[in-house]
C-alpha cells in the first residue's frame, strides 16, 4: 500500500487564527489553489489513487474532491468518514488558542453550557476505528491477491486528527519494521517518530506499507521493488551519515526521540534492517495503549515524505485580500480569468 495522509487547504478560520474544530470553516481562495496544486502534483508524479477518504467537514471534503478530480482511476469517489473530523474544541471553538491556554481557563469551566476539549484518548478511539474499519481491510484485500495489486490511498483530514492517526498506526508496526527515506533524513535530521512534524495546509505524509516475504526475512517483497517516489529512491542508514562536528565516515547513531521525555535515544542495532530502523521502545507506548489493537506483523513501512510541500513551490497568494477570502466554486482565479479574456 502507498498511503498519503493529507491535511486540507487553508481555511477562513486558519487566516483568522482561531480554533475551527468542528466548525465547518470554508477554504479560502488560496486554500483551493493549494489543493489544485496538490491535485496536479499527485496526478503527474504518483500512481493513480485507488481510494480516497475524507473528513465530513467541507474544508477536507473539498480538498479531497479537488485531488480526486485529476485522477484517472475509473469510478473514484471520495468516501466521507465521520471518524476523520477534527478535534472538538468545545467551548473554545471560534476562539484563539491564547484564550484556551490563558490564565482564565478554570473560570471558563463555570460558564453555562461549557463543553471541554475532546481528549487525546477520544481522538485515539476515532483513529483506531478508522484504521480497523477502513484502512487495514485494504491491506487484507492486497494480501488476497498475493501482492499483485497495490492500493494507493489518500486520507484527507485535519492536522490534529492526522497526528493521532499516525501515532495509532505507529503503535501497530512491528519492531525494526520502520525505515526512513534518504530525503527525510538529509532534510529534517533527527527523526521524532511520534511527532514527525506538523501538517502544513495540503502538506502530506507519504508512507509505503509492504508485505515482507517470510522466506526472505528482512528482504523486500516483490511488491516493494521500485515503490519509492522519484525524488526519494532510496533509504539510508543514519549511522553512516556525516554531520556537523563529526569527521567524514565517523559513526553517528540514529537519533530517535521518545514522545514523553524528548531525550535522544539510539535505536537497538540488532533491529536495524539495513536502513534507518525503529524499535517499539522509540514510541514509548504504555502496554494499555496496545491492548486489542491489530498489529501489522509481516509488514515493512517506509516513511517517504514528511509534510510534503513540493507542490506549493512558487505559489503566491492573490493580493488585495482575494487570496484570504472564502472560496466560491463558481469563482475564477485571476489567471484563468485573464486567459479567458485573451481568447475572447
Amino acid at each position: 500500500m502507498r498511503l498519503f495522509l493529507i491535511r486540507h487547504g487553508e481555511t477562513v478560520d486558519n487566516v483568522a487564527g482561531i480554533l475551527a474544530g468542528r466548525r465547518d470553516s470554508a477554504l479560502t481562495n488560496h486554500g483551493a489553489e493549494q489543493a489544485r496544486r496538490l491535485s496536479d502534483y499527485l496526478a503527474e508524479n504518483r500512481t493513480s489513487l485507488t481510494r480516497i477518504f475524507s473528513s465530513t467537514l467541507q474544508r477536507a471534503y473539498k480538498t479531497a474532491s479537488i485531488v480526486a478530480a485529476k485522477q484517472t482511476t475509473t469510478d473514484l469517489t471520495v468516501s466521507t468518514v465521520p471518524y476523520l473530523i477534527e478535534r472538538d474544541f468545545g467551548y473554545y471553538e471560534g476562539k484563539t488558542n491564547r484564550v484556551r491556554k490563558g490564565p482564565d481557563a478554570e473560570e471558563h469551566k463555570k460558564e453555562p453550557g461549557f463543553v471541554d476539549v475532546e481528549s487525546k484518548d477520544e481522538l485515539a478511539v476515532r483513529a483506531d476505528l478508522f484504521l480497523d474499519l477502513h484502512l487495514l481491510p485494504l491491506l487484507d484485500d492486497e494480501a488476497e491477491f498475493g501482492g499483485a495489486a497495490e492500493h494507493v490511498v489518500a486520507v484527507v483530514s485535519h492536522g490534529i486528527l492526522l497526528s493521532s492517526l499516525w501515532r495509532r498506526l505507529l503503535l501497530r508496526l512491528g519492531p525494526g519494521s520502520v525505515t526512513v527515506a534518504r530525503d527525510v533524513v538529509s532534510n529534517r535530521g533527527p527523526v521524532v517518530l511520534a511527532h514527525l512534524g506538523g501538517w502544513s495546509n495540503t502538506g502530506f505524509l507519504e508512507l509505503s506499507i509492504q508485505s515482507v516475504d517470510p522466506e526472505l526475512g528482512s528482504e523486500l517483497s516483490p511488491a516493494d521493488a521500485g515503490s519509492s517516489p522519484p525524488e526519494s529512491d532510496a533509504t539510508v542508514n543514519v549511522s553512516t551519515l556525516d554531520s556537523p562536528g563529526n569527521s567524514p565516515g565517523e559513526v553517528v547513531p540514529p537519533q530517535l526521540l521518545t514522545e514523553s521525555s524528548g531525550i535522544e535515544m539510539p535505536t537497538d542495532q540488532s533491529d536495524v534492517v539495513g536502513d534507518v530502523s525503529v524499535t517499539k521502545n522509540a514510541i514509548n507506548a504504555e502496554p494499555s495503549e496496545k491492548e486489542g489493537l491489530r498489529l501489522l506483523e509481516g509488514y515493512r513501512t517506509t516513511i517517504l515524505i514528511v509534510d510534503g510541500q513540493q507542490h506549493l513551490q512558487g505559489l503566491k497568494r492573490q493580493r488585495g485580500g482575494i487570496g484570504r477570502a472564502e472560496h466560491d466554486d463558481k469563482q475564477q482565479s485571476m489567471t484563468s480569468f485573464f486567459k479567458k479574456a485573451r481568447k475572447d
Side-chain angles (χ1 to χ4, degrees), residues 177-191:
S177 68
V178 179
T179 58
V180 183
R182 179 185 302 277
D183 285 353
V184 175
V185 176
S186 60
N187 294 336
R188 303 182 71 88
V191 177

Side-chain angles (χ1 to χ4, degrees), residues 76-138:
L76 179 67
T77 59
V78 177
S79 301
T80 54
V81 181
Y83 302 136
L84 294 175
I85 61 176
E86 180 58 300
R87 187 179 200 177
D88 185 352
F89 284 101
Y91 172 84
Y92 297 102
E93 294 201 352
K95 301 178 175 62
T96 65
N97 212 33
R98 181 178 297 180
V99 172
R100 177 191 165 203
K101 296 187 176 182
D104 299 325
E106 289 302 314
E107 293 298 317
H108 296 157
K109 296 179 181 179
K110 301 175 184 178
E111 295 282 344
F114 174 84
V115 177
D116 207 349
V117 177
E118 183 178 13
S119 70
K120 291 183 179 180
D121 287 341
E122 291 169 323
L123 279 170
V125 168
R126 292 202 279 119
D128 283 335
L129 284 169
F130 174 75
L131 290 172
D132 289 329
L133 298 180
H134 297 279
L135 191 66
L136 299 190
L138 297 180

